[in-house]
Amino acid sequence: MEQASSKTPQSSSRERIADIDIMKCIFIVLMVIFHLVYIGDSYPYAKKIVYTFHMTGFLLFSGYLMNIYKSWAAFAKTLLWYAIPYLVMEGGYILMAAVLPIREHIDQLTPAVFLDRLLLHPLGPYWYLQTLILCGLTYFAIFRIPKLSLHSRFLLLGGAFCVYAQWLHVISLSSGLYFLIGAILQQSHTPFNKLFQASPAALPVLALLILFPANLSSTYAGGIFIVYSVICTGMLLTKHLQGKTRTLFLFIGRNTLPVFLFSPIFTLLSKHLLPLVSIDPSGILFMLAALPLCLLGSFAMGWAMDATHISPLFFGKKKVLV
């Protein structure tokens, strides 16, 4: 979820890309909304549409932004600061699933089940970090093999992701695919807004694609076009955001990591707002109350970790909020 600087031999550094930050804001807000139990259950088709593109979009951004031009020690340190939040939050989620009557409830938690869920088959949303660590490590390692063409490296990377998905079942095929697309864009030195251009045509194309349930899978051709159309539509939005609205979108987009990590705590607490459904059965009033709770609660936890100097131990940096 964190946007790292991407470095290549031709470019020593890259500033944050505002368009990507705004897209990340949109995607993380949609993630929170459809993790709210009442909303997800009440709007299953809309949820399926969002699930076609939101996390695959994050993996595409991650492949594009990941800096592999580091030493082994420096890159291992980068992965360590993905692994610590993952192990803590996923471990807590597994324990919670064994105690609370949630959808992913574990009837009998044993050490073997705990380790399987923690290391191989995560519960809840934290699978993203596990996938990011595995894909990032593989990307880095393959690009350290000497005397290989760029084409051969990408063939090996795609093959490794297929093995992880089809034989080992530790990532999804779509996750590897979109991370790979992002890495290809990076290595081809393609500016993000060159491929994903703002286009008024993207919205009607997107509307047409989502009419057909068969397209609502990110691994199918229709799903790939949905991801592309959503990002192009979002890029159109970025051109029209101004003033405080743009500042708010950029802030959320820069700070998706604490929202991703801590929002499940607040989506669980938001169940106390469900009496609002008796006033508005559509759930819109409930969503308008629960969404700020989840976002502000996540930022408050990030701020508290910064203020108490926990962030360097948990995230590897002085402040998680930027």
Side-chain angles (χ1 to χ4, degrees), residues 133-209:
I133 292 167
L134 186 56
C135 290
L137 179 59
T138 308
Y139 180 26
F140 180 86
I142 287 176
F143 272 71
R144 285 296 176 279
I145 301 174
K147 299 180 181 179
L148 277 182
S149 68
L150 188 62
H151 180 259
S152 297
R153 295 181 196 279
F154 281 124
L155 283 175
L156 286 175
L157 189 60
F161 292 165
C162 286
V163 170
Y164 297 158
Q166 305 288 46
W167 289 351
L168 301 180
H169 307 292
V170 291
I171 68 170
S172 71
L173 188 59
S174 63
S175 296
L177 169 66
Y178 286 92
F179 185 94
L180 179 64
I181 291 171
I184 291 171
L185 288 177
Q186 182 200 65
Q187 294 297 330
S188 64
H189 311 295
T190 303
F192 188 82
N193 59 7
K194 186 75 171 177
L195 179 64
F196 297 99
Q197 295 188 18
S199 171
L203 189 55
V205 170
L206 175 61
L208 179 64
L209 288 167

Side-chain angles (χ1 to χ4, degrees), residues 14 50 90 127 232 238 252 257 295:
R14 177 187 290 165
V50 169
E90 178 63 22
W127 63 265
C232 290
T238 66
I252 296 173
L257 182 60
L295 294 177

Side-chain angles (χ1 to χ4, degrees), residues 18-288:
D19 289 339
I20 291 182
D21 280 333
I22 291 172
M23 291 304 307
K24 287 165 65 182
C25 169
I26 295 168
F27 286 8
I28 202 71
V29 167
L30 288 171
M31 184 201 82
V32 173
I33 288 172
F34 284 95
H35 279 177
L36 298 170
V37 172
Y38 186 82
I39 301 300
D41 291 344
S42 300
Y43 300 95
Y45 196 79
K47 180 178 179 178
K48 197 168 183 180
I49 293 170
V50 169
Y51 274 48
T52 302
F53 65 81
H54 73 319
M55 295 311 294
T56 49
F58 269 116
L59 283 160
L60 189 152
F61 302 150
S62 296
Y64 182 73
L65 296 166
M66 182 162 284
N67 176 14
I68 61 165
Y69 294 99
K70 297 180 177 181
S71 67
W72 275 99
F75 195 76
K77 190 175 180 181
T78 297
L79 296 186
L80 173 67
W81 296 116
Y82 290 139
I84 289 175
Y86 168 73
L87 292 171
V88 171
M89 300 306 295
E90 178 63 22
Y93 195 95
I94 294 167
L95 294 174
M96 183 182 71
V99 175
L100 299 177
I102 63 174
R103 185 169 298 173
E104 296 176 296
H105 179 72
I106 299 174
D107 292 326
Q108 186 175 5
L109 183 61
T110 65
V113 170
F114 182 85
L115 289 174
D116 176 74
R117 290 299 185 183
L118 185 66
L119 302 178
L120 299 177
H121 306 109
L123 291 176
Y126 302 117
W127 63 265
Y128 168 84
L129 286 178
Q130 180 233 29
T131 296
L132 183 60
I133 292 167
L134 186 56
C135 290
L137 179 59
T138 308
Y139 180 26
F140 180 86
I142 287 176
F143 272 71
R144 285 296 176 279
I145 301 174
K147 299 180 181 179
L148 277 182
S149 68
L150 188 62
H151 180 259
S152 297
R153 295 181 196 279
F154 281 124
L155 283 175
L156 286 175
L157 189 60
F161 292 165
C162 286
V163 170
Y164 297 158
Q166 305 288 46
W167 289 351
L168 301 180
H169 307 292
V170 291
I171 68 170
S172 71
L173 188 59
S174 63
S175 296
L177 169 66
Y178 286 92
F179 185 94
L180 179 64
I181 291 171
I184 291 171
L185 288 177
Q186 182 200 65
Q187 294 297 330
S188 64
H189 311 295
T190 303
F192 188 82
N193 59 7
K194 186 75 171 177
L195 179 64
F196 297 99
Q197 295 188 18
S199 171
L203 189 55
V205 170
L206 175 61
L208 179 64
L209 288 167
I210 63 177
L211 287 175
F212 301 95
N215 291 329
L216 303 185
S217 171
S218 53
T219 53
Y220 295 161
I224 293 170
F225 281 117
I226 286 174
V227 174
Y228 184 73
S229 299
V230 165
I231 296 178
C232 290
T233 301
M235 296 291 280
L236 186 64
L237 175 65
T238 66
K239 293 185 174 298
H240 297 285
L241 287 175
Q242 301 294 331
K244 292 182 178 179
T245 303
R246 184 178 180 86
T247 300
L248 176 62
F249 272 64
L250 287 171
F251 175 79
I252 296 173
R254 290 194 303 266
N255 294 288
T256 52
L257 182 60
V259 176
F260 171 73
L261 290 174
F262 304 133
S263 63
I265 298 169
F266 297 97
T267 56
L268 185 63
L269 292 175
S270 70
K271 291 181 179 180
H272 294 292
L273 298 173
L274 281 173
L276 292 171
V277 173
S278 62
I279 302 171
D280 172 28
S282 73
I284 302 302
L285 185 59
F286 165 69
M287 182 195 73
L288 291 175

